[in-house]
Structures are given as C-alpha cells and as structure tokens.
Amino acid sequence: MMIYFRMCGFSLIFFILLSFYTPEICANEITVQNDGKKYNVVLIAINVLRANHLSCYGYHKKTSPAIDEVAKDSFVFMKAFAQAGYTLPNMMSIITSLYPDSHGVFDVYKDKLSTSVKTIAQILQIYGYKTAWFSVLGEPHLSMKVGFERGYDDFGDHLDETYRGKKNLLSWIAENKDEQFFLAMNIRSTHSPYFPLPKYKNVFKEGEKGAIIENDDEFFKAIYFKILESIDNPLMPMYGLFDKETANRIKNDDFYPYNGIEKWQKRVHKISKLIPPNQLYKLGRTEMMAYEASIDISNKNNLKYLISLYDSCILSVDQEFIEPIMSAFKKYGIYDNTIIIITADHGESLGEHQRLGHGFQFYDEVIYIPLIVRVPFLKDSRKIEALVQSIDIMPTILSLIGAEKPYNLQGKSLVSLMKNKKDTPIHTHIYGENRNFAYLRSDEWKLIAVRKFLEKESFHDNDKLYKLQDDPKELVNQNDEQQEVYQKLRNKIKNHLREKPKYIEKEYEFAPNIDKAAQERIKKTGYW
C-alpha cells in the first residue's frame, strides 16, 4: 500500500482555484451557522451497496451493526437514489453535484472531467481543509486520470480483497487528527465476486451453494477454463489475442510446471504475462464472465446462497472498515467534531428482473442507495422520507460548513430537510441517465426511457412506466394503459436532458487499445 503526498503552497492553490471558482448561494437554501467549531468532513461511498440490505433500513439480517450505530444519531434518508447504475458516472456526480449528462463522464478509457468543473475536494481545499482520497487507485472506474485526483493532498490505495489498506487509512487518521480534514473513500469490498473474509462467510448462510464460486482457488480455476474456451471463440473477449503458436502453448498442460493449491492462480498469472498490456481489460471481462457462469439465476436456493455471500461482504465492510474508522475518531476525540456521510455509488441486482450485477437499466435495485448524514451540531436525528439523490451530497456538505456554493451545482442542500420537522419535498422528481437510458422517478411513478428514441418518437415499446405505489417491484409496464402520464413524464425527461448545461471541453475518443466490440459493451452497460 502506498500513500502519495503532493506538497503545494496554500496561497498558490488558492490563487489557481479561485480563478475558476464562482460561488453563489442558491435561492431558498439554508446555510448552517454552526457553533463556531471547525468540523471535519468524511465521505464514505461503499460500492454496490443496496440500502435495503442494511439493518438500519429495515433489513431482517444484522448486516451493519457499525453503520447502524452511526445511524442512531444521524439523519437517515429513506428514499435516496443514484444518478447512474455504475461507479464512474455516479461517483463523478457525487463529487461535482452534476447530472451525468452535464459532467459527461460515462465511459472508462475515454471520458475525463472538464477542468471548468470543481470537485468537492477542490472547494474544501480552498477553505483550508487537509484532503485525502482512499480507493482502489488502479480501478478504471475510479481512474486518477479521469478527475478523481483533483483537490487532494494525499492518496491511499486500499486493497479491498485483503483489507490491507485499512492500516494505512487508520494511520492517516492518526497523523491528521489535529488537522481540519476532508477524508473521502470508495470501498469496493462489496463488489462481485462476493468473497467475504472467512470469519464472516457463514454468518448468514442459507440456500444451496451449487456451483457458485466462493474463493480464489475456485475463481482462478474458472477463469483459466474460460480463457481456454475464449481463445477460439469469436464471440468471447480473449479471441484473437494470441497467435496460433502461443494459443497452442496455453492449451498445453506442459506449459504450466505448477502444482498445489495455487496452481490455477499461477496459470492465469502466466497467461496474463502473454497478453499485451493494452489488452488486459479483456482478461477482466473474462473473469466476470467466469463468475457469473457459476450462478444459476433460475434457482431460488442458489440465489439465496449468493445473497448470503453478498450480505456477508456488507458485514465484512461494516466490521473491517466502518467500525475501526469510527473507533479511531472516538479514540482521538474527534467523533463529535466530524460530519460523517455514508452512502453508495449505486446498488446491485440480485436476481430481480432476471439480472445480476449493475450497469444496465434503472430499476430501483440498481439505483436505491443508503444516505446517512451525521451532523454533530444538529441533534434532531431522524429518518427522512423525502426523495433525495446523489447530487445533493455536495451542496449539503457546503451548507453544513457554511461555505458558498458554485453557481453550477445541480443538486440541492438537504439541510432544510434536516432542520425542519416535516419532510417537505425538495424534489418532486429525480433524474438519472447513462448513454442509452434515462430515468425519472417520483414517489408515485417511475419512467425508464430509451434515449435514442426520445426525440424521434412519441411512444416506444421499450420505454417502461411503473406505478410504484401499486407495483414497487417494477414488474407491470403501464405505458400503454397510462398514456397521459407516460407522455407527460416522457416530456419531462426530454426537457431535463435538453436544458441541463454540459461542462464538456471536448468529445474524447476511446483509448486506441479498446476494440470496437469492447467500445460497444462499454456504451451499452458502462462496463468493459
């Protein structure tokens, strides 16, 4: 694990950033005048975390005792939704308070955040905060080249599979406990494949394992055979990567002089060395195909077992990250001097709509996220039922610390909801989009629209309209029966996409190593 430090004089940072920073208080928003103390800000985004799999959101399993403890004296937003169903665009929406269409960062190996847009870290840096970002720095969906590095003094690479990064994270807290700091992180340990730490693996065990992969040895064995299957199959990612001689060597068992428990991992590692570096993303795609092939989505007992592994991953994160972080804050006497936000970049489909994973259409299981906000100087903690969204996080932080807001923020501060006793709505509708679909959601209705037909037709069979109060699982498409509602909401989505400004300096091309098939996969799902 490495932590990188960038040293720069504050006056120079202030001068450079101020030249691009145009603050403006948004009308009808409350800026908190706190008690004069300097409060730290901590933003914890947990990857693929469904709100309805946390105990504090009513889940029947005790998956989140440490998060629950934070939630006891926090504002818990019961209807929070992401702007996109995969990491790259929604994390960018969180740190910029812009809808995906406005910041334009959709595709890995391609898009970059405009320099005209300032992130939450850049603004807090102007206000004198020591800033740090912890994530899997080599993950394409959190790439430093895209814009996630902006505004941070320090960086930490936490390795989610082994939790070794936790030590460096806790060390950073210890070293900066006397600073006023902004600490942000994205924790990926809940992402598939679901490999919880051994001590948590069987806590929620139910259903039947079947062929589900649940450890590294099984995983690398499956990857190895998926590679062999891919080499000669034009429809598979590994096709065409090797010349005939190399392909024959890979298929020959004499190519692997390894035995024992690490045999499969070493085989995959040896093959990876033969893949050109700019084509390694195809191995990543092959890995996920190998995992997904082990799951029988039609078997309810198999899905139960899969869900038990997912829930155990949540418990792992809760106990191995959240609990130690909160304990450190209490140990150093800064827990009650720290604003804490716990959220997710998106949710996860666990068999609903006959799907696994995320990155596709905007069903609630993919966009319904937790949002827990602990504010030490606001004592009236409670559950809030008003609709909120990821882009509301940044303006809320700025309101809580008394900072002015850039004019271009598209989210709304949640402080009015936290200070008022009633859940007076701040959004009648919330929105989100990716390259192919856009969604609109109210308390009553949800419309998922195919983007390429929005301007060409007034009706399309693939659009999906759900009456959520009668159909919370989004199973019955109402766009035929509810034509008036359908057209009204469809026009709202069109207006949303038309009217939002775009902060995009130029249209980026895919990196030259990304072939056409991979480009199409990325465009369709956001994933490579």
Side-chain angles (χ1 to χ4, degrees):
M1 190 69 58
M2 300 178 67
I3 298 179
Y4 302 93
F5 298 93
R6 295 189 305 171
M7 304 302 296
C8 186
F10 174 76
S11 60
L12 179 59
I13 295 173
F14 184 86
F15 176 80
I16 293 171
L17 293 183
L18 192 62
S19 65
F20 293 101
Y21 177 57
T22 308
E24 180 181 292
I25 297 295
C26 299
N28 301 320
E29 288 193 0
I30 298 174
T31 298
V32 170
Q33 301 300 315
N34 60 45
D35 51 15
K37 292 182 182 178
K38 290 185 176 181
Y39 287 88
N40 307 311
V41 179
V42 176
L43 174 59
I44 301 172
I46 302 172
N47 216 282
V48 300
L49 180 61
R50 291 169 58 134
N52 59 4
H53 276 246
L54 295 179
S55 320
C56 54
Y57 277 80
Y59 195 44
H60 64 284
K61 302 177 188 177
K62 297 298 181 183
T63 56
S64 52
I67 295 175
D68 298 347
E69 193 63 30
V70 176
K72 283 180 182 177
D73 57 353
S74 297
F75 298 93
V76 180
F77 292 87
M78 302 302 290
K79 295 178 181 177
F81 294 88
Q83 265 56 69
Y86 60 105
T87 300
L88 180 61
N90 203 63
M91 278 304 300
M92 197 57 71
S93 287
I94 288 173
I95 67 171
T96 62
S97 188
L98 296 176
Y99 287 102
D101 251 33
S102 287
H103 62 62
V105 182
F106 289 98
D107 298 329
V108 292
Y109 304 114
K110 177 177 175 287
D111 298 328
K112 297 177 183 178
L113 181 66
S114 167
T115 55
S116 68
V117 174
K118 295 294 164 268
T119 68
I120 180 65
Q122 287 176 296
I123 294 172
L124 293 187
Q125 204 174 48
I126 290 174
Y127 278 85
Y129 283 75
K130 180 70 174 293
T131 58
W133 168 247
F134 280 78
S135 71
V136 183
L137 299 180
E139 162 57 40
H141 290 267
L142 296 166
S143 173
M144 305 286 276
K145 297 177 181 179
V146 169
F148 287 109
E149 84 290 356
R150 296 182 194 173
Y152 292 105
D153 301 306
D154 302 342
F155 300 93
D157 191 350
H158 63 64
L159 304 178
D160 54 341
E161 295 87 354
T162 61
Y163 295 79
R164 284 178 289 173
K166 177 177 61 176
K167 181 178 179 181
N168 289 278
L169 180 56
L170 297 179
S171 297
W172 189 93
I173 294 170
E175 291 166 6
N176 293 278
K177 63 183 183 296
D178 298 324
E179 301 272 0
Q180 184 181 28
F181 62 76
F182 172 59
L183 173 61
M185 66 194 76
N186 182 288
I187 303 171
R188 283 183 63 84
S189 306
T190 38
H191 198 288
S192 63
Y194 309 134
F195 292 167
L197 293 179
K199 61 182 174 180
Y200 305 110
K201 178 183 170 185
N202 295 320
V203 172
F204 306 114
K205 186 177 180 180
E206 60 180 342
E208 298 173 358
K209 175 185 181 301
I212 291 177
I213 294 167
E214 57 182 1
N215 59 53
D216 281 338
D217 197 46
E218 292 179 359
F219 189 37
F220 283 104
K221 181 179 180 180
I223 294 168
Y224 169 70
F225 284 107
K226 186 62 69 175
I227 290 171
L228 296 189
E229 177 188 339
S230 294
I231 286 175
D232 296 321
N233 187 339
L235 301 178
M236 302 289 274
M238 305 295 285
Y239 179 76
L241 276 185
F242 310 109
D243 58 44
K244 188 174 181 180
E245 181 182 348
T246 304
N248 288 335
R249 286 173 62 207
I250 291 172
K251 296 174 191 177
N252 188 342
D253 209 53
D254 293 336
F255 180 62
Y256 313 96
Y258 303 117
N259 294 300
I261 194 167
E262 295 183 336
K263 176 174 70 173
W264 304 112
Q265 185 171 357
K266 288 181 177 178
R267 288 187 173 205
V268 172
H269 179 71
K270 191 165 186 179
I271 294 170
S272 73
K273 295 296 184 182
L274 301 174
I275 301 173
N278 63 5
Q279 298 292 314
L280 276 172
Y281 69 91
K282 294 182 178 180
L283 180 59
R285 178 62 184 154
T286 303
E287 290 172 358
M288 294 317 302
M289 290 176 69
Y291 182 66
E292 292 166 5
S294 74
I295 302 159
D296 184 357
I297 196 171
S298 65
N299 185 322
K300 290 183 179 180
N301 281 323
N302 203 221
L303 275 179
K304 280 184 178 180
Y305 191 89
L306 182 77
I307 291 168
S308 76
L309 293 175
Y310 174 74
D311 290 337
S312 292
C313 286
I314 295 174
L315 182 61
S316 291
V317 167
D318 182 87
Q319 292 298 290
E320 299 298 323
F321 278 101
I322 306 302
E323 196 284 327
I325 291 169
M326 300 308 149
S327 293
F329 291 159
K330 292 172 183 177
K331 173 183 175 182
Y332 301 127
I334 59 175
Y335 185 69
D336 288 326
N337 199 31
T338 302
I339 297 165
I340 299 168
I341 300 102
I342 300 175
T343 190
D345 50 7
H346 53 81
E348 182 84 323
S349 183
L350 296 168
E352 298 92 346
H353 299 96
Q354 299 302 302
R355 295 176 181 267
L356 296 172
H358 50 273
F360 28 80
Q361 287 188 21
F362 290 103
Y363 296 114
D364 271 8
E365 59 266 18
V366 178
I367 57 170
Y368 180 42
I369 56 172
L371 180 55
I372 299 165
V373 183
R374 185 180 189 274
V375 186
F377 52 86
L378 294 180
K379 303 298 183 183
D380 185 26
S381 56
R382 62 191 177 88
K383 292 182 177 180
I384 296 175
E385 297 287 342
L387 279 174
V388 299
Q389 48 191 345
S390 291
I391 58 172
D392 297 332
I393 292 172
M394 179 174 171
T396 301
I397 291 172
L398 297 179
S399 290
L400 289 172
I401 66 170
E404 294 184 334
K405 304 178 188 68
Y407 73 94
N408 61 349
L409 302 193
Q410 294 171 346
K412 295 183 178 181
S413 170
L414 304 178
V415 170
S416 62
L417 287 171
M418 293 188 280
K419 289 180 72 71
N420 295 334
K421 300 293 184 182
K422 296 180 180 179
D423 292 349
T424 305
I426 62 171
H427 301 289
T428 56
H429 300 84
I430 57 174
Y431 300 86
E433 58 263 3
N434 58 32
R435 293 285 192 206
N436 296 286
F437 298 95
Y439 87 87
L440 170 155
R441 193 190 195 284
S442 66
D443 280 327
E444 185 177 6
W445 294 100
K446 168 88 157 287
L447 176 62
I448 303 170
V450 182
R451 292 191 63 164
K452 66 182 179 180
F453 297 114
L454 275 173
E455 299 296 338
K456 296 179 180 178
E457 300 182 26
S458 59
F459 177 87
H460 198 271
D461 289 340
N462 289 334
D463 289 351
K464 295 178 173 62
L465 176 69
Y466 300 107
K467 190 171 185 181
L468 298 172
Q469 293 170 338
D470 299 335
D471 181 25
K473 293 185 178 180
E474 301 170 286
L475 298 176
V476 182
N477 189 353
Q478 299 275 350
N479 65 358
D480 268 332
E481 291 76 8
Q482 299 285 344
Q483 273 287 303
E484 186 176 344
V485 173
Y486 169 69
Q487 292 298 347
K488 178 182 176 182
L489 298 184
R490 200 167 188 272
N491 286 333
K492 279 185 173 291
I493 288 181
K494 284 199 290 187
N495 290 336
H496 162 77
L497 295 173
R498 284 173 182 164
E499 293 170 2
K500 290 293 177 286
K502 290 179 170 49
Y503 300 95
I504 303 169
E505 289 170 347
K506 66 176 184 176
E507 289 293 332
Y508 291 95
E509 298 294 330
F510 278 100
N513 57 287
I514 309 300
D515 60 45
K516 293 295 183 183
Q519 290 181 27
E520 289 306 310
R521 276 199 301 274
I522 290 168
K523 289 176 182 178
K524 287 179 181 177
T525 68
Y527 271 79
W528 43 272

